[in-house]
Amino acid sequence: MRQLFQEIRRNPLLWLLAFVPALFAVQRMKPEAHTLLFGLSVLAIVPLAALLSHATESVAVKTGDAVGGLLNATLGNLTELVIALAALRAGEYTLVKASIAGAIVTNSLFMLGASFLLGGLRHHVQEYNRVNARLQAGLLFLATVALLVPSAVGGADGASKSAFVTSLSLGLAVLLIVAYGLGLWFTLGTHPEIFASAAHGEEEEAPWPLGLALVTLAGVTLLVALVSEVFVESVQEAALDLGMSQAFVGFIVVALVGAAAEMASAFAGARKNRLDLSVGIALGSASQIALFVAPVLVLASYVLGPTPMSLQFWPGAVVMMLIATMTAALVTNSGKSAWFIGVLVLTVYLVFAMTLYLLPPSG
Amino acid sequence: MRQLFQEIRRNPLLWLLAFVPALFAVQRMKPEAHTLLFGLSVLAIVPLAALLSHATESVAVKTGDAVGGLLNATLGNLTELVIALAALRAGEYTLVKASIAGAIVTNSLFMLGASFLLGGLRHHVQEYNRVNARLQAGLLFLATVALLVPSAVGGADGASKSAFVTSLSLGLAVLLIVAYGLGLWFTLGTHPEIFASAAHGEEEEAPWPLGLALVTLAGVTLLVALVSEVFVESVQEAALDLGMSQAFVGFIVVALVGAAAEMASAFAGARKNRLDLSVGIALGSASQIALFVAPVLVLASYVLGPTPMSLQFWPGAVVMMLIATMTAALVTNSGKSAWFIGVLVLTVYLVFAMTLYLLPPSG
Amino acid sequence: MRQLFQEIRRNPLLWLLAFVPALFAVQRMKPEAHTLLFGLSVLAIVPLAALLSHATESVAVKTGDAVGGLLNATLGNLTELVIALAALRAGEYTLVKASIAGAIVTNSLFMLGASFLLGGLRHHVQEYNRVNARLQAGLLFLATVALLVPSAVGGADGASKSAFVTSLSLGLAVLLIVAYGLGLWFTLGTHPEIFASAAHGEEEEAPWPLGLALVTLAGVTLLVALVSEVFVESVQEAALDLGMSQAFVGFIVVALVGAAAEMASAFAGARKNRLDLSVGIALGSASQIALFVAPVLVLASYVLGPTPMSLQFWPGAVVMMLIATMTAALVTNSGKSAWFIGVLVLTVYLVFAMTLYLLPPSG
């Protein structure tokens, strides 16, 4: 417990934890203050995500390579998953899909671009292992393409026959989870050396004892779930007040908030001239959303949601996801980076954000 | 003739030849047993395609490098061409187009992915000449893009002005065949060294004497033509009985059947750690469909078909062809392969197959 | 002045300058001879563009590296900009957009493909610095993607809500110009070595004295502006007479005419086995259209045009721009070239040109 407090004293990001009790207090006293609740829940999720990430890594270190890697890979996007599950239970499928699409775009454009920019401001030209980067970009592209088939075929045909799309989404979810399982076996079992450098980088922080880590993991997951519920309840009214479309909130705000902890690691890696680490986190995290989080949510919708959720995205989201993964593939192709590459990748992200912000709310 | 029988005894695939007389017998006695005829014709085409492939190679070896290469390149997809011509004569343009699109997708996803998987199960990481692979993937991409322009422009504009699309398709067919001729001159005449390894691999089987090879070539082509006719007649009724859409049959069944012989070579190459051979067969065969088979069918439709056939594909097929060739380009970019790459490429193929299978028949 | 005449005597391209006075004479005497005026203005722009290019380079050499590079980069597409401004003032937004799209497609397909073909006819296989080529192709891809977001999102949604598209285009124009400014700082300030070889190649021609260069620059820009005005006035009637769609004129004719001077440099580089130079000019020029010319025209439309111009292109143009930049990225990926690569890239360009030529005028 002392270690937990030490950690909190050392890491200014964790001071935001003060917003967690503040959120619950406001929720009790002013349940109709949607915009305030929205702001507080965003601020409360960031430090919880950081704690979750540290706890996962500590458990991973203690349990040895294979199980630890598995945990790390599976729980790496736990925050995104918990937020999306809260939205799923509330039947907010538009928000769920926007957050899936947004997480892929944010990881492969914002996290990658900001890493290149931050790294490039310190180092003239940064080189990284381009064979691994290409392999990971290839995996991300394939995962995204598989995820987008229902939208592409359904949308291209102008036929949104719902029975067809629903059964296709279910079959696809099963296929993707099988592919994800095989991917874990590949990463941890048969070919761990390809992803070695990325895993290595995170161990610099001091791990917690197993007991503390497990308790933190359980407690913080519960807190994230409670905060997410407030977040999902307040987001729609708050978006109206703030003049933001729901697409913007799901795509940009939720995605940035959910990935805050991973971004901290990726940016630190870039500044230390370890771009392999940054690229691995950004592309790996995006792949995981497509291969694991998205299909789990489809399956969960059969249990938790009012109706089965399909994997049909709105056409603009499809275009953005495809462009984001192709950009990631093209940009990591040369194995070299300089600050302007980061600027251009961020420009594409800003263009997307601007588009979503300006999009009429009805769209 | 003895050699032909020896070959048949040695190669279990050729035992399927027994289905050729069975097919014609059933056709005489039970012409209305569509599903049975469909199944038998599929089983009969596979060994005929293998014989055709071996005969072509034998003629190629005997006639020396230049003419032989020309023959090999031109007749490599003879089975697909003969099946499509049968469908063309019957006016089944949907089936013709589905089989063109399916052959490109099957070659660049299924053949490539299965080669990576089969090779990867034996070898930890396989390397191959990435400069050649990129060149071939680039050719395939350009060929596919050229093929898709009428669909992309026509579809994107929502204007399917048929006169425009028909004359565009005719001009395009002439352009593609000229490009194909120049490509042959490039491959065989000015730059044979780039494609050297792929051609080399096939010579391991004992070639037949020239006379036997020519007779086999002529006779088997005739048989394929006869079997294809039964296949095309029975496919629509059989698809209804089996609950398959026509798109699924053309895209998946015809394409797998037509490419069976090449797949055997590609897979054997992969297991022998000669991925250059596998990649060359898969990408080269797909390019040939786009640059040679498709335009020949457009021109042939003016002679054999009821009306001129255009090159406008349904939007879902366009998306699948583009994704397939981009996947092939991305995946061969690193010059390295491991089993999971194969799994992911096959996953994209399975997703396509599942989509087409579930697609409502009216779509 | 003597130097200017020497230059004219030496360079046969400049003999076309005789068409400039001819154009103005015809305009006075036969203002209704649209097709003749159109032809003369096309012929008059070509040598003016060449003079403009030489004058810019001469000023650039005299003013030292940083300012010179800035001038060269900013004025490199001055001809395209002046023509487009004339069309903008006339309110011909379709023509303006077609010329933007056409310049990107022509630079990245025709200029690149013809360089590969011309170089490949002399040299068996040409190698060039693939890391730089990939970086430049990446920049071009990102620039094009940013430019296309309004069309992609607007078009994909079927919602062409004009207020949304107009404000998005304005925001985008500002973003792109900021990115362009940062790109200049990158190219000239922090990382000049990456683009070194491209800049180096142009200095072989003897530079003019500064005074002559500045006077030429000012005078020729004025002439191009006057000729462009005649061109824009006559183009619509002439296109009708010649049976060409306006899309074809903007996309193909204007783009080829505007880029004539750069093409001469790129092709000369290719024949001298300096493909780095050719690739740099082709891709750099295309990037500049997307990042600088297009947003400047949007901003200028607020001052010069009847209404604000958006960046929403017709869907066919979007497809062509995306395919062109992806082709450029794929083709420059291997760092090797041979004549057939050029043929295939030109084939894609020819396919586009044929499509636009056949397109019904109403489309």
Side-chain angles (χ1 to χ4, degrees):
Chain A
M1 209 60 187
R2 209 167 39 102
Q3 251 170 314
L4 185 56
F5 283 115
Q6 266 185 354
E7 178 78 25
I8 291 174
R9 215 168 35 217
R10 228 194 47 201
N11 186 345
L13 193 69
L14 296 182
W15 299 352
L16 295 172
L17 281 173
F19 287 108
V20 179
L23 170 69
F24 293 123
V26 172
Q27 193 201 8
R28 273 280 166 89
M29 298 183 310
K30 285 192 166 187
E32 75 292 345
H34 297 296
T35 309
L36 181 62
L37 284 170
F38 169 75
L40 286 173
S41 57
V42 165
L43 289 171
I45 287 175
V46 172
L48 290 174
L51 274 183
L52 216 51
S53 162
H54 197 158
T56 310
E57 278 158 31
S58 299
V59 177
V61 170
K62 295 288 169 188
T63 50
D65 263 14
V67 182
L70 190 71
L71 265 173
N72 229 336
T74 316
L75 301 183
N77 284 310
L78 190 55
T79 318
E80 281 93 338
L81 187 59
V82 171
I83 299 178
L85 282 171
L88 195 74
R89 282 182 52 205
E92 301 272 11
Y93 289 178
T94 310
L95 187 63
V96 175
K97 289 183 190 176
S99 74
I100 292 173
I104 291 176
V105 170
T106 301
N107 283 321
S108 50
L109 289 183
F110 183 80
M111 207 188 283
L112 198 66
S115 296
F116 284 167
L117 178 56
L118 289 172
L121 291 179
R122 273 227 185 140
H123 309 275
H124 188 69
V125 168
Q126 294 186 290
E127 309 220 0
Y128 52 94
N129 187 327
R130 72 163 167 256
V131 174
N132 291 356
R134 273 183 207 154
L135 208 61
Q136 290 172 326
L139 299 195
L140 173 59
F141 179 75
L142 291 177
T144 310
V145 157
L147 187 65
L148 294 182
V149 166
S151 314
V153 175
D157 266 353
S160 46
K161 291 143 190 159
S162 61
F164 162 61
V165 171
T166 306
S167 56
L168 181 58
S169 298
L170 182 61
L172 198 60
V174 174
L175 252 183
L176 289 176
I177 286 183
V178 171
Y180 181 70
L182 289 171
L184 282 183
W185 184 30
F186 179 70
T187 332
L188 304 171
T190 68
H191 291 67
E193 77 283 3
I194 293 180
F195 302 87
S197 64
H200 198 259
E202 320 236 353
E203 290 165 32
E204 275 175 41
E205 302 171 39
W208 292 338
L210 188 59
L212 172 65
L214 282 176
V215 168
T216 310
L217 197 57
V220 172
T221 303
L222 188 71
L223 278 176
V224 172
L226 292 172
V227 173
S228 299
E229 216 137 302
V230 182
F231 174 80
V232 168
E233 271 167 30
S234 62
V235 67
Q236 234 169 350
E237 305 271 341
L240 271 181
D241 283 1
L242 298 169
M244 296 188 289
S245 65
Q246 207 177 350
F248 181 81
V249 172
F251 225 87
I252 306 293
V253 179
V254 175
L256 286 176
V257 164
E262 288 140 326
M263 279 182 202
S265 305
F267 298 164
R271 294 190 72 81
K272 288 178 201 149
N273 207 10
R274 298 175 60 192
L275 266 188
D276 281 303
L277 180 59
S278 313
V279 171
I281 295 175
L283 300 186
S285 192
S287 297
Q288 207 195 9
I289 299 281
L291 287 176
F292 181 67
V293 175
V296 161
L297 289 170
V298 169
L299 297 182
S301 75
Y302 282 82
V303 182
L304 300 176
T307 57
M309 187 179 81
S310 78
L311 281 173
Q312 188 156 37
F313 294 90
W314 57 287
V318 173
V319 170
M320 289 185 189
M321 281 189 268
L322 276 183
I323 286 177
T325 51
M326 280 172 49
T327 301
L330 258 176
V331 148
T332 55
N333 190 24
S334 66
K336 280 191 175 188
S337 165
W339 66 265
F340 188 57
I341 309 282
V343 166
L344 274 175
V345 175
L346 285 175
T347 301
V348 173
Y349 185 74
L350 279 178
V351 168
F352 286 174
M354 199 168 68
T355 307
L356 289 166
Y357 188 79
L358 293 173
L359 207 65
S362 58
Chain B
M1 210 56 187
R2 207 167 39 103
Q3 250 170 315
L4 185 56
F5 282 115
Q6 264 184 356
E7 179 77 25
I8 292 173
R9 211 163 41 213
R10 228 194 45 201
N11 187 344
L13 194 68
L14 296 182
W15 300 352
L16 295 171
L17 282 173
F19 287 107
V20 179
L23 170 69
F24 293 124
V26 172
Q27 193 200 10
R28 273 281 165 87
M29 297 182 313
K30 285 191 165 189
E32 76 292 343
H34 296 296
T35 309
L36 181 62
L37 284 170
F38 169 76
L40 286 173
S41 58
V42 165
L43 289 170
I45 286 175
V46 171
L48 290 174
L51 273 183
L52 216 51
S53 162
H54 197 160
T56 310
E57 279 157 33
S58 300
V59 178
V61 170
K62 295 288 169 189
T63 50
D65 262 15
V67 181
L70 190 72
L71 264 174
N72 229 336
T74 317
L75 301 184
N77 284 310
L78 189 56
T79 316
E80 281 92 337
L81 187 60
V82 172
I83 299 178
L85 282 172
L88 195 74
R89 282 183 50 205
E92 301 273 11
Y93 288 177
T94 311
L95 188 64
V96 175
K97 288 183 190 177
S99 74
I100 293 173
I104 292 176
V105 170
T106 301
N107 283 323
S108 50
L109 289 183
F110 183 81
M111 207 189 284
L112 198 65
S115 296
F116 285 166
L117 179 57
L118 290 172
L121 291 179
R122 272 227 185 139
H123 309 275
H124 188 68
V125 169
Q126 294 185 291
E127 309 220 1
Y128 51 94
N129 187 327
R130 71 163 168 256
V131 174
N132 291 356
R134 273 184 207 154
L135 209 61
Q136 290 173 324
L139 299 195
L140 173 59
F141 180 75
L142 291 176
T144 310
V145 157
L147 186 66
L148 294 182
V149 166
S151 314
V153 175
D157 266 355
S160 44
K161 291 141 188 159
S162 62
F164 162 59
V165 171
T166 306
S167 56
L168 181 58
S169 298
L170 182 61
L172 198 60
V174 174
L175 253 184
L176 288 176
I177 285 183
V178 171
Y180 181 70
L182 289 171
L184 283 184
W185 184 30
F186 180 70
T187 331
L188 305 171
T190 68
H191 291 68
E193 76 283 2
I194 293 180
F195 303 86
S197 63
H200 198 258
E202 319 237 353
E203 289 166 31
E204 277 176 39
E205 303 170 40
W208 292 339
L210 189 58
L212 172 63
L214 282 176
V215 168
T216 310
L217 197 57
V220 172
T221 303
L222 189 71
L223 277 177
V224 172
L226 292 172
V227 171
S228 298
E229 216 135 305
V230 181
F231 174 78
V232 168
E233 272 167 29
S234 62
V235 67
Q236 234 168 350
E237 305 271 342
L240 271 181
D241 283 2
L242 298 169
M244 297 189 288
S245 65
Q246 206 177 351
F248 181 81
V249 172
F251 225 87
I252 306 291
V253 179
V254 175
L256 285 176
V257 165
E262 287 140 326
M263 280 183 202
S265 305
F267 298 164
R271 295 191 71 81
K272 288 178 201 148
N273 207 10
R274 298 174 60 191
L275 266 188
D276 281 304
L277 179 60
S278 313
V279 172
I281 295 175
L283 300 186
S285 192
S287 297
Q288 207 195 11
I289 299 280
L291 287 175
F292 181 68
V293 175
V296 161
L297 289 170
V298 169
L299 298 182
S301 75
Y302 282 81
V303 182
L304 301 175
T307 57
M309 187 179 81
S310 78
L311 281 174
Q312 187 156 37
F313 294 90
W314 57 287
V318 173
V319 170
M320 289 185 190
M321 280 189 269
L322 276 183
I323 286 178
T325 52
M326 280 172 49
T327 301
L330 259 176
V331 148
T332 55
N333 190 23
S334 66
K336 279 191 174 189
S337 165
W339 66 265
F340 188 58
I341 309 282
V343 167
L344 273 174
V345 176
L346 286 175
T347 301
V348 174
Y349 185 74
L350 279 178
V351 168
F352 286 174
M354 198 168 69
T355 308
L356 290 166
Y357 189 78
L358 293 174
L359 208 65
S362 59
Chain C
M1 210 58 187
R2 206 168 40 101
Q3 251 170 315
L4 185 56
F5 282 114
Q6 265 184 356
E7 178 78 24
I8 291 174
R9 213 166 38 217
R10 229 195 45 201
N11 186 344
L13 194 67
L14 296 181
W15 299 352
L16 295 171
L17 283 172
F19 288 107
V20 179
L23 171 69
F24 293 123
V26 172
Q27 193 200 8
R28 274 279 167 89
M29 298 184 311
K30 285 192 165 187
E32 75 294 343
H34 297 296
T35 308
L36 181 61
L37 285 171
F38 169 76
L40 286 173
S41 57
V42 164
L43 288 170
I45 286 175
V46 172
L48 291 174
L51 274 183
L52 215 51
S53 162
H54 197 160
T56 310
E57 278 157 33
S58 300
V59 178
V61 170
K62 294 288 169 189
T63 51
D65 262 14
V67 182
L70 189 71
L71 264 172
N72 229 335
T74 316
L75 301 183
N77 284 310
L78 190 56
T79 317
E80 281 92 339
L81 187 59
V82 171
I83 300 178
L85 282 172
L88 195 74
R89 282 181 52 203
E92 301 273 10
Y93 288 178
T94 311
L95 187 63
V96 175
K97 288 183 190 176
S99 74
I100 293 173
I104 292 176
V105 169
T106 301
N107 283 324
S108 50
L109 289 183
F110 183 81
M111 206 190 283
L112 198 66
S115 296
F116 284 167
L117 177 57
L118 290 172
L121 291 179
R122 273 227 186 139
H123 308 276
H124 187 68
V125 169
Q126 294 185 291
E127 309 220 1
Y128 52 94
N129 187 326
R130 73 163 167 255
V131 174
N132 291 356
R134 272 182 209 156
L135 208 60
Q136 291 173 324
L139 299 195
L140 172 60
F141 180 75
L142 291 176
T144 309
V145 157
L147 187 66
L148 294 183
V149 166
S151 315
V153 175
D157 265 354
S160 46
K161 290 141 190 163
S162 62
F164 162 60
V165 172
T166 306
S167 56
L168 181 59
S169 298
L170 182 61
L172 198 60
V174 173
L175 253 183
L176 289 176
I177 286 183
V178 171
Y180 181 69
L182 289 171
L184 282 183
W185 184 32
F186 180 71
T187 332
L188 305 171
T190 68
H191 290 69
E193 76 283 1
I194 292 180
F195 302 87
S197 63
H200 198 259
E202 321 238 352
E203 290 166 30
E204 276 175 40
E205 303 170 39
W208 293 337
L210 189 58
L212 172 65
L214 282 176
V215 168
T216 310
L217 197 57
V220 171
T221 302
L222 189 72
L223 278 177
V224 172
L226 293 171
V227 172
S228 299
E229 216 136 304
V230 182
F231 174 78
V232 168
E233 272 167 30
S234 62
V235 67
Q236 234 169 352
E237 304 271 343
L240 271 181
D241 283 3
L242 298 170
M244 297 188 287
S245 64
Q246 208 178 348
F248 181 81
V249 173
F251 224 89
I252 306 292
V253 179
V254 175
L256 285 176
V257 165
E262 288 139 325
M263 279 182 202
S265 305
F267 297 164
R271 295 191 71 81
K272 288 178 202 149
N273 208 9
R274 298 174 61 192
L275 266 188
D276 280 303
L277 180 59
S278 313
V279 172
I281 295 175
L283 300 186
S285 192
S287 298
Q288 208 195 9
I289 299 282
L291 286 176
F292 180 67
V293 174
V296 161
L297 289 170
V298 169
L299 298 181
S301 75
Y302 282 81
V303 182
L304 301 176
T307 57
M309 187 179 82
S310 78
L311 281 173
Q312 187 156 37
F313 294 91
W314 57 287
V318 173
V319 170
M320 289 184 189
M321 280 189 268
L322 275 182
I323 286 177
T325 51
M326 280 172 50
T327 301
L330 258 177
V331 149
T332 55
N333 190 23
S334 66
K336 280 192 173 187
S337 166
W339 66 266
F340 188 56
I341 308 283
V343 167
L344 273 175
V345 176
L346 286 174
T347 301
V348 174
Y349 185 73
L350 279 178
V351 169
F352 286 174
M354 198 169 68
T355 307
L356 289 166
Y357 189 79
L358 293 174
L359 208 65
S362 59

